[in-house]
mmCIF file of all heavy atoms in Angstrom:
data_model
loop_
_atom_site.group_PDB
_atom_site.id
_atom_site.type_symbol
_atom_site.label_atom_id
_atom_site.label_comp_id
_atom_site.label_asym_id
_atom_site.label_seq_id
_atom_site.Cartn_x
_atom_site.Cartn_y
_atom_site.Cartn_z
ATOM 1 N N GLU B 154 -23.416 9.889 -4.928
ATOM 2 C CA GLU B 154 -23.380 11.240 -4.372
ATOM 3 C C GLU B 154 -22.346 11.334 -3.246
ATOM 4 O O GLU B 154 -22.358 10.513 -2.331
ATOM 5 C CB GLU B 154 -24.745 11.584 -3.765
ATOM 6 C CG GLU B 154 -25.799 11.947 -4.773
ATOM 7 C CD GLU B 154 -25.537 13.310 -5.387
ATOM 8 O OE1 GLU B 154 -25.300 14.266 -4.632
ATOM 9 O OE2 GLU B 154 -25.559 13.405 -6.617
ATOM 10 N N ARG B 163 -1.004 19.035 6.486
ATOM 11 C CA ARG B 163 0.019 19.009 7.531
ATOM 12 C C ARG B 163 1.345 19.544 7.008
ATOM 13 O O ARG B 163 1.806 19.130 5.954
ATOM 14 C CB ARG B 163 0.205 17.578 8.037
ATOM 15 C CG ARG B 163 -1.094 16.985 8.562
ATOM 16 C CD ARG B 163 -0.906 15.579 9.103
ATOM 17 N NE ARG B 163 -2.195 15.008 9.443
ATOM 18 C CZ ARG B 163 -2.647 13.820 9.027
ATOM 19 N NH1 ARG B 163 -1.899 13.074 8.231
ATOM 20 N NH2 ARG B 163 -3.822 13.388 9.389
ATOM 21 N N LYS B 205 -6.395 19.413 21.618
ATOM 22 C CA LYS B 205 -5.210 19.595 22.451
ATOM 23 C C LYS B 205 -4.069 20.151 21.606
ATOM 24 O O LYS B 205 -3.821 19.694 20.498
ATOM 25 C CB LYS B 205 -4.812 18.210 22.982
ATOM 26 C CG LYS B 205 -3.583 18.206 23.822
ATOM 27 C CD LYS B 205 -3.427 16.841 24.483
ATOM 28 C CE LYS B 205 -2.230 16.860 25.418
ATOM 29 N NZ LYS B 205 -2.231 15.663 26.260
ATOM 30 N N ARG B 208 2.921 20.620 21.728
ATOM 31 C CA ARG B 208 3.979 21.370 22.403
ATOM 32 C C ARG B 208 4.979 21.945 21.398
ATOM 33 O O ARG B 208 5.837 22.739 21.767
ATOM 34 C CB ARG B 208 4.689 20.490 23.431
ATOM 35 C CG ARG B 208 5.424 19.312 22.832
ATOM 36 C CD ARG B 208 6.183 18.496 23.870
ATOM 37 N NE ARG B 208 6.824 17.356 23.239
ATOM 38 C CZ ARG B 208 7.976 17.407 22.590
ATOM 39 N NH1 ARG B 208 8.642 18.528 22.495
ATOM 40 N NH2 ARG B 208 8.471 16.324 22.009
ATOM 41 N N GLY B 227 -25.390 19.749 1.843
ATOM 42 C CA GLY B 227 -25.386 18.940 3.054
ATOM 43 C C GLY B 227 -24.135 18.109 3.277
ATOM 44 O O GLY B 227 -24.021 17.387 4.272
ATOM 45 N N GLU B 251 -22.107 7.680 -1.598
ATOM 46 C CA GLU B 251 -23.162 6.704 -1.320
ATOM 47 C C GLU B 251 -22.773 5.272 -1.677
ATOM 48 O O GLU B 251 -23.268 4.327 -1.082
ATOM 49 C CB GLU B 251 -24.411 7.073 -2.133
ATOM 50 C CG GLU B 251 -25.167 8.256 -1.574
ATOM 51 C CD GLU B 251 -26.377 8.601 -2.424
ATOM 52 O OE1 GLU B 251 -26.225 8.600 -3.660
ATOM 53 O OE2 GLU B 251 -27.441 8.873 -1.857
ATOM 54 N N GLU B 252 -21.905 5.119 -2.681
ATOM 55 C CA GLU B 252 -21.572 3.781 -3.156
ATOM 56 C C GLU B 252 -20.112 3.401 -2.933
ATOM 57 O O GLU B 252 -19.719 2.281 -3.258
ATOM 58 C CB GLU B 252 -21.858 3.663 -4.668
ATOM 59 C CG GLU B 252 -23.150 4.279 -5.142
ATOM 60 C CD GLU B 252 -24.382 3.546 -4.646
ATOM 61 O OE1 GLU B 252 -24.249 2.356 -4.320
ATOM 62 O OE2 GLU B 252 -25.467 4.167 -4.576
ATOM 63 N N ILE B 254 -15.827 5.042 -1.879
ATOM 64 C CA ILE B 254 -14.905 6.059 -1.369
ATOM 65 C C ILE B 254 -13.773 6.252 -2.360
ATOM 66 O O ILE B 254 -13.280 5.292 -2.937
ATOM 67 C CB ILE B 254 -14.344 5.595 -0.005
ATOM 68 C CG1 ILE B 254 -15.441 5.709 1.044
ATOM 69 C CG2 ILE B 254 -13.119 6.387 0.401
ATOM 70 C CD1 ILE B 254 -15.024 5.288 2.411
ATOM 71 N N GLU C 151 2.439 12.934 22.390
ATOM 72 C CA GLU C 151 1.077 13.020 22.916
ATOM 73 C C GLU C 151 0.051 12.925 21.794
ATOM 74 O O GLU C 151 0.150 13.659 20.809
ATOM 75 C CB GLU C 151 0.875 14.375 23.607
ATOM 76 C CG GLU C 151 1.485 14.491 24.964
ATOM 77 C CD GLU C 151 0.740 13.666 25.995
ATOM 78 O OE1 GLU C 151 -0.500 13.776 26.066
ATOM 79 O OE2 GLU C 151 1.403 12.897 26.707
ATOM 80 N N ARG C 160 -17.825 1.471 9.204
ATOM 81 C CA ARG C 160 -18.717 1.353 8.044
ATOM 82 C C ARG C 160 -19.217 -0.078 7.882
ATOM 83 O O ARG C 160 -18.428 -1.004 7.915
ATOM 84 C CB ARG C 160 -17.986 1.787 6.773
ATOM 85 C CG ARG C 160 -17.448 3.209 6.865
ATOM 86 C CD ARG C 160 -16.762 3.654 5.592
ATOM 87 N NE ARG C 160 -16.132 4.948 5.792
ATOM 88 C CZ ARG C 160 -14.842 5.232 5.537
ATOM 89 N NH1 ARG C 160 -14.046 4.308 5.050
ATOM 90 N NH2 ARG C 160 -14.367 6.438 5.763
ATOM 91 N N LYS C 202 -25.223 14.949 4.627
ATOM 92 C CA LYS C 202 -26.198 14.547 3.615
ATOM 93 C C LYS C 202 -26.479 13.054 3.750
ATOM 94 O O LYS C 202 -25.560 12.250 3.898
ATOM 95 C CB LYS C 202 -25.574 14.822 2.245
ATOM 96 C CG LYS C 202 -26.426 14.425 1.091
ATOM 97 C CD LYS C 202 -25.826 14.962 -0.196
ATOM 98 C CE LYS C 202 -26.745 14.647 -1.363
ATOM 99 N NZ LYS C 202 -26.314 15.379 -2.556
ATOM 100 N N ARG C 205 -28.991 7.744 -0.052
ATOM 101 C CA ARG C 205 -30.282 7.236 -0.538
ATOM 102 C C ARG C 205 -30.442 5.744 -0.229
ATOM 103 O O ARG C 205 -31.516 5.185 -0.408
ATOM 104 C CB ARG C 205 -30.429 7.495 -2.034
ATOM 105 C CG ARG C 205 -29.412 6.767 -2.876
ATOM 106 C CD ARG C 205 -29.616 6.999 -4.375
ATOM 107 N NE ARG C 205 -28.568 6.347 -5.130
ATOM 108 C CZ ARG C 205 -28.563 5.043 -5.417
ATOM 109 N NH1 ARG C 205 -29.558 4.265 -5.057
ATOM 110 N NH2 ARG C 205 -27.550 4.516 -6.086
ATOM 111 N N GLY C 224 -8.385 16.926 26.173
ATOM 112 C CA GLY C 224 -8.472 17.821 25.031
ATOM 113 C C GLY C 224 -8.341 17.165 23.664
ATOM 114 O O GLY C 224 -8.394 17.833 22.631
ATOM 115 N N GLU C 248 1.796 14.414 18.501
ATOM 116 C CA GLU C 248 2.702 15.566 18.355
ATOM 117 C C GLU C 248 3.872 15.296 17.431
ATOM 118 O O GLU C 248 4.408 16.215 16.822
ATOM 119 C CB GLU C 248 3.263 15.945 19.729
ATOM 120 C CG GLU C 248 2.271 16.665 20.613
ATOM 121 C CD GLU C 248 2.869 16.991 21.971
ATOM 122 O OE1 GLU C 248 3.543 16.113 22.520
ATOM 123 O OE2 GLU C 248 2.656 18.100 22.466
ATOM 124 N N GLU C 249 4.300 14.034 17.357
ATOM 125 C CA GLU C 249 5.494 13.730 16.570
ATOM 126 C C GLU C 249 5.224 12.825 15.378
ATOM 127 O O GLU C 249 6.149 12.520 14.611
ATOM 128 C CB GLU C 249 6.541 13.021 17.452
ATOM 129 C CG GLU C 249 6.738 13.593 18.834
ATOM 130 C CD GLU C 249 7.384 14.975 18.809
ATOM 131 O OE1 GLU C 249 8.042 15.291 17.817
ATOM 132 O OE2 GLU C 249 7.214 15.735 19.801
ATOM 133 N N ILE C 251 2.082 9.922 13.362
ATOM 134 C CA ILE C 251 0.735 9.374 13.205
ATOM 135 C C ILE C 251 0.822 7.856 13.185
ATOM 136 O O ILE C 251 1.750 7.293 12.609
ATOM 137 C CB ILE C 251 0.143 9.893 11.878
ATOM 138 C CG1 ILE C 251 -0.218 11.362 12.032
ATOM 139 C CG2 ILE C 251 -1.051 9.076 11.438
ATOM 140 C CD1 ILE C 251 -0.811 11.982 10.812
#
Side-chain angles (χ1 to χ4, degrees):
Chain B
E154 283 288 311
R163 303 182 187 128
K205 178 170 184 168
R208 64 177 178 81
E251 285 179 316
E252 317 292 337
I254 287 180
Chain C
E151 283 289 310
R160 303 182 187 127
K202 178 170 184 169
R205 64 178 177 80
E248 285 179 317
E249 317 292 337
I251 287 180

